[in-house]
């Protein structure tokens, strides 16, 4: 049974993977381009608007933020990538620390890669997925802000996206269609998390 509201508390912000909380609970990380809606979706999942900080300006989340949900599992809000105004040095540091986190984090069950449903696939997202595929990092795709599209527009964008993926992947990662505005996809994501919390297995997608 999925509850309307989940108990969630901020644990800590870490600049490096080595500073993260002990890896003793199942963990799910949110990643994606700046402004795609990572923090908003985290808040929607637990139904607490004030948990993760949200901003209309890209680049709001700058550290690895751990939230403990129902005292049993972690949601992690990561800084966004691909934000043009961030200096090259900061961008490289982000890539290094995030990749380290994704490769080394023992309790990371799945990474939710967030993608803006309104725009065609971006090179940076495709490259990031390919990297995760090659490294065997489990991830699923989460399309965001679907409330901003008509069902016709969304149908068109979704087909185009899936077609591109099918040219590259033997098995496609699971996909979620969401809106932090109206709660679309919330039940499905929480059900997914609940299933994996029980098994501690990881969903791996395979490249061709
Ligand atoms: P960074 O922390 O900068 O990487 O951004 P983020 O990915 O955490 O994005 P954030 O959640 O801060 O949201 C960015 C903007 O998009 C905010 O103005 C949100 O209100 C808006 N937004 C996020 N999700 C949705 C959604 O599902 N629907 C609509 N309409 N707006 C959304
Ligand atoms: Mg954020």
């Amino acid at each position: 049974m999925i509850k309307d509201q989940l108990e969630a508390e901020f644990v800590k912000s870490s600049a490096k993977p080595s500073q993260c909380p002990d890896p003793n609970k199942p963990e799910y990380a949110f990643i994606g381009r700046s402004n795609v809606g990572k923090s908003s979706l985290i808040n929607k999942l637990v139904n607490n608007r004030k948990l993760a900080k949200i901003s209309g300006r890209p680049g709001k989340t700058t550290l690895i933020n751990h939230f403990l949900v129902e005292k049993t599992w972690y949601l992690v809000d990561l800084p966004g990538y691909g934000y043009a105004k961030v200096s090259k040095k900061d961008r490289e540091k982000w890539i290094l620390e995030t990749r380290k986190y994704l490769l080394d984090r023992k309790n990371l069950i799945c990474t939710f890669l967030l993608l803006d449903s309104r725009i065609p696939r971006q090179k940076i997202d495709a490259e990031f997925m390919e990297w995760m595929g090659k490294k065997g990092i489990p991830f699923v795709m989460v399309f965001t802000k679907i409330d901003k599209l008509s069902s016709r527009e969304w149908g068109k964008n979704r087909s185009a996206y899936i077609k591109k993926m099918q040219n590259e992947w033997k098995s496609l990662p699971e996909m979620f269609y969401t809106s932090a505005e109206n709660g679309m996809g919330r039940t499905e994501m929480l059900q997914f998390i609940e299933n994996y919390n029980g098994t501690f297995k990881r969903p791996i997608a395979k490249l061709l």
Side-chain angles (χ1 to χ4, degrees), residues 35 37-40 52-55 59-62 65 77-80:
N35 219 38
K38 299 175 291 296
S39 304
S40 303
K53 293 202 178 64
I54 293 169
S55 166
K60 181 70 189 170
T61 311
T62 54
N65 296 293
D77 194 9
L78 294 166

Side-chain angles (χ1 to χ4, degrees), residues 114-185:
L114 272 62
L115 303 156
D116 192 322
S117 61
R118 298 169 300 174
I119 54 173
R121 194 170 72 155
Q122 303 289 295
K123 192 161 165 260
I124 194 165
D125 294 321
E127 285 172 357
F128 202 72
M129 276 190 260
E130 192 187 343
W131 178 78
M132 288 195 286
K134 283 185 176 152
K135 297 289 181 191
I137 294 167
F139 74 97
V140 295
M141 295 160 74
V142 178
F143 290 93
T144 64
K145 308 191 187 185
I146 293 181
D147 59 281
K148 292 204 175 194
L149 289 174
S150 70
S151 60
R152 201 173 145 260
E153 287 169 317
W154 167 229
K156 224 172 72 192
N157 291 359
R158 185 180 56 195
S159 308
Y161 218 105
I162 291 176
K163 221 183 223 168
K164 280 196 174 144
M165 292 292 294
Q166 281 168 336
N167 292 333
E168 299 160 359
W169 296 78
K170 193 155 63 186
S171 64
L172 292 194
E174 197 154 337
M175 296 182 196
F176 293 98
Y177 309 136
T178 71
S179 162
E181 196 67 27
N182 64 23
M184 178 181 177

Side-chain angles (χ1 to χ4, degrees), residues 4-200:
D4 286 341
Q5 201 162 22
L6 299 181
E7 188 207 326
E9 55 179 308
F10 169 72
V11 180
K12 74 181 285 199
S13 295
S14 317
K16 297 176 186 186
S18 60
Q19 297 164 350
C20 289
D22 284 346
N24 56 5
K25 293 180 179 67
E27 181 159 311
Y28 303 85
F30 279 50
I31 204 160
R33 295 193 312 131
S34 235
N35 219 38
V36 70
K38 299 175 291 296
S39 304
S40 303
L41 196 57
I42 284 180
N43 288 350
K44 191 66 197 176
L45 287 187
V46 299
N47 259 330
N48 177 349
R49 280 169 180 278
K50 291 192 183 137
L51 191 67
K53 293 202 178 64
I54 293 169
S55 166
R57 272 188 308 125
K60 181 70 189 170
T61 311
T62 54
L63 296 160
I64 306 171
N65 296 293
H66 274 79
F67 302 100
L68 182 62
V69 186
E70 299 278 299
K71 302 217 186 312
T72 49
W73 51 280
Y74 286 123
L75 272 176
V76 179
D77 194 9
L78 294 166
Y81 55 75
Y83 176 41
K85 282 196 180 153
V86 170
S87 72
K88 191 160 171 254
K89 199 169 145 242
D90 282 351
R91 211 175 313 155
E92 281 167 1
K93 187 170 161 277
W94 178 91
I95 291 172
L96 204 73
E97 294 302 342
T98 306
R99 289 191 172 189
K100 227 192 300 175
Y101 163 83
L102 294 173
L103 286 169
D104 296 348
R105 192 76 177 151
K106 299 274 180 293
N107 57 332
L108 182 63
I109 303 284
C110 186
T111 301
F112 292 102
L113 176 66
L114 272 62
L115 303 156
D116 192 322
S117 61
R118 298 169 300 174
I119 54 173
R121 194 170 72 155
Q122 303 289 295
K123 192 161 165 260
I124 194 165
D125 294 321
E127 285 172 357
F128 202 72
M129 276 190 260
E130 192 187 343
W131 178 78
M132 288 195 286
K134 283 185 176 152
K135 297 289 181 191
I137 294 167
F139 74 97
V140 295
M141 295 160 74
V142 178
F143 290 93
T144 64
K145 308 191 187 185
I146 293 181
D147 59 281
K148 292 204 175 194
L149 289 174
S150 70
S151 60
R152 201 173 145 260
E153 287 169 317
W154 167 229
K156 224 172 72 192
N157 291 359
R158 185 180 56 195
S159 308
Y161 218 105
I162 291 176
K163 221 183 223 168
K164 280 196 174 144
M165 292 292 294
Q166 281 168 336
N167 292 333
E168 299 160 359
W169 296 78
K170 193 155 63 186
S171 64
L172 292 194
E174 197 154 337
M175 296 182 196
F176 293 98
Y177 309 136
T178 71
S179 162
E181 196 67 27
N182 64 23
M184 178 181 177
R186 176 181 182 268
T187 308
E188 290 80 1
M189 284 183 76
L190 288 174
Q191 192 64 60
F192 174 90
I193 290 170
E194 201 174 289
N195 292 345
Y196 277 98
N197 276 345
T199 65
F200 238 97

